[in-house]
Amino acid sequence: MRANVIAVLSALTLLSACGKDTQPESAPLPLPTGPAAVKPEPTASAAPAPRAEAPKKAPRKPKLPKDFESLLAELRKKCGPKEVPQDNVSTKEAAHQEAECMRRKMVADLDAVLLPLKSSDPARFSQLMKEQAVWNRFVKSQCWIEEELQWLDLTTGQRDDGTMRSYAYLGCLMDATAERTLYARALANKDPGAVEKRVKAREKLGAEADRSRAELLTKAQGFEKSPPKVEPGMVEADWKKIIEEAKASQDGATELATMTCEGWKELGGKLGDKRACEASMRLYYLGHGTVEEEPK
């Protein structure tokens, strides 16, 4: 079982809610709906997100947490369910509700950065809006891939399925949302050091994710050319979509790294020259949604 699935279940064991069963295909990535919102690509599962007008008063600057773990504790306290789930269905609904709550918190913190810039620095406002649009698309692909990796056997090309579906997707989504919340708060407080510290802490994990994506892409391209016979009890993998999403994940991380380093010069300076900054930020973004494996 992948570590982000374990992380979701571990967190929800302490909290919870109730509801209906879901899976990634029917639960597209929640997108921001305030000024942080961007118009998603026109697809059957993603309608244009509404745009909100800037309020008369700028939102209060969010507090920068001591570290990422402190931020996670804060978000879980605010967003986590209050009772232990009693079954798989209610556990999934609890995870969905927590992910949605975290999304709202992220949007509020992004708005604290974006709204003042809309009038004071339109160019930076536009730049960050474009960056957020890329992030939204990137995370959607990133978390779709994390879910697929939960079920794929890249040695045989077989794909399993079962009642644990969507936990990897939700775990990835919550992790990525928390990372973006930290990024937004660091921007609001003009503290690139907070992001620099997190980027360096996730470097090894990002490198592992980079290797994982490259391996997945190579294997998927091979299985697309020579599809394996589906064994009893297994389901057919959509190799074409897997290839598309894996490439979107890799390309999105690269594009985000370039935009971040160019847009936030102070952060870029802390991470080194342009090339060093982009390499570090690319690995940071590729590590989104990936939780370190627990020791066996």
Side-chain angles (χ1 to χ4, degrees), residues 68-86:
F68 185 75
E69 289 68 31
S70 299
L71 174 61
L72 270 184
E74 174 196 328
L75 292 173
R76 284 172 177 164
K77 183 177 180 181
K78 290 179 178 178
C79 295
K82 308 305 179 186
E83 298 176 358
V84 178
Q86 300 302 309

Side-chain angles (χ1 to χ4, degrees), residues 218-228 238-241 243:
T218 299
K219 294 278 190 177
Q221 288 170 335
F223 286 128
E224 184 187 33
K225 291 178 182 177
S226 302
D238 188 344
W239 297 112
K240 181 180 178 181
K241 183 170 176 61
I243 292 168

